[in-house]
Amino acid sequence: MLSLSGRHCIITGGSRGIGLAIAHRFASEGASITLVGRDQTTLDNAVKELPIPLHQGTPPNHGACAFNVKDSSRWSDMVTFMRDAERKVDVLVNAAGISQNSFMFKTSLHQAKEIVDVNLMGTMYGCQLLLPTMMRQKSGKVNRMFDSFITNNKATPGCIINISSLLATHAGRGAAAYAASKAGVVSLTRALAWEAGRFGIRANVILPGYIETDMTKSMSDDDLKALIPMGRLGKVAEVADAAAFLAKNPYAHNTVLNLDGGLSAT
Ligand code: NAI
């Protein structure tokens, strides 16, 4: 298994919920974290709460960067910042997302576009703009004849973990744009697994069912629980555990991981 100790992870949607739980789990295993979200003060407060275990004598250098993930120019600024600060990117977790609770015919075009822009394009920009950084870290050389990458075994392979949703593959009412955006995230991840895998970078996607966060606060009723074979909503720590597995298992690549208490079986 790979270790998270000494690795640097960028986590979008890191101010709360699933993203923040992943940040805590990774930091508790010795990773340094850069949280991405919309509000700098909220992120700075979240950073203060992250565990700071020592690894190789140096405390991990956590940080935060507030920007809207649908803004590709802000992603580019971040890449420049990472390069100038000589910070590596070992793991990218795209967890930022917004939900929908309205039938398609009642959803404005602006709302639908916003959901796709944040959930799908925000994830795509992060992958697209940080991949070259992750590839450069893998010291090696391109074998033009086989269009492949000869890797240096000493380099740590990079990893992308995208957070999609059960609704990417199962119908849900009032979530058409959301479902479409999350299906896009699954397809994006699969395509990246093929393309980036040649460069030693793994790409995986988690499809959570209903997880207890601000996003589902209004849904936690008994009717919903009765639909879930496990009889309850999931916990953020359970999603974080899945993310840790994907980050550390060197053979986890193109994994499409349902984490829904069995709801996808119904
Ligand atoms: P949440 O609402 O608690 O947190 C969302 C996070 O994303 C926050 O940190 C927020 O600041 C950030 N964010 C939202 N829009 C952003 C933007 N435009 N730019 C930058 N940051 C932005 O949500 P939760 O539940 O933690 O969800 C995390 C991810 O998991 C989302 O992608 C969501 O779609 C997905 N998901 C959640 C499920 C659930 O039941 N909670 C189920 C399936 C998927």
Side-chain angles (χ1 to χ4, degrees), residues 12-20 36-39 42-43 65-71 94-99 114 117-119 123 163-167 178 181-182 206-216 219 233-234 236 239 259:
T12 75
S15 67
R16 62 176 196 233
I18 291 172
L20 183 59
V36 175
R38 289 170 295 190
D39 180 68
T42 312
L43 288 172
C65 203
F67 65 91
N68 194 319
V69 293
K70 71 175 184 177
D71 184 345
N94 286 299
I98 51 175
S99 62
E114 178 74 6
D117 281 349
V118 172
N119 294 358
T123 299
I163 308 297
S164 174
S165 164
L166 168 71
L167 295 181
Y178 180 81
S181 71
K182 292 297 188 178
I206 302 174
L207 280 64
Y210 292 95
I211 309 298
E212 285 172 4
T213 68
D214 287 1
M215 196 177 263
T216 52
M219 302 179 197
L233 276 70
V236 289
V239 185
L259 200 82

Side-chain angles (χ1 to χ4, degrees), residues 6 16-18 34-35 39 108 112 116 149 174 181 188 228 248:
R16 62 176 196 233
I18 291 172
T34 296
L35 296 178
D39 180 68
S108 69
V116 174
F149 201 63
S181 71
L188 168 71
I228 303 169
K248 293 191 294 183

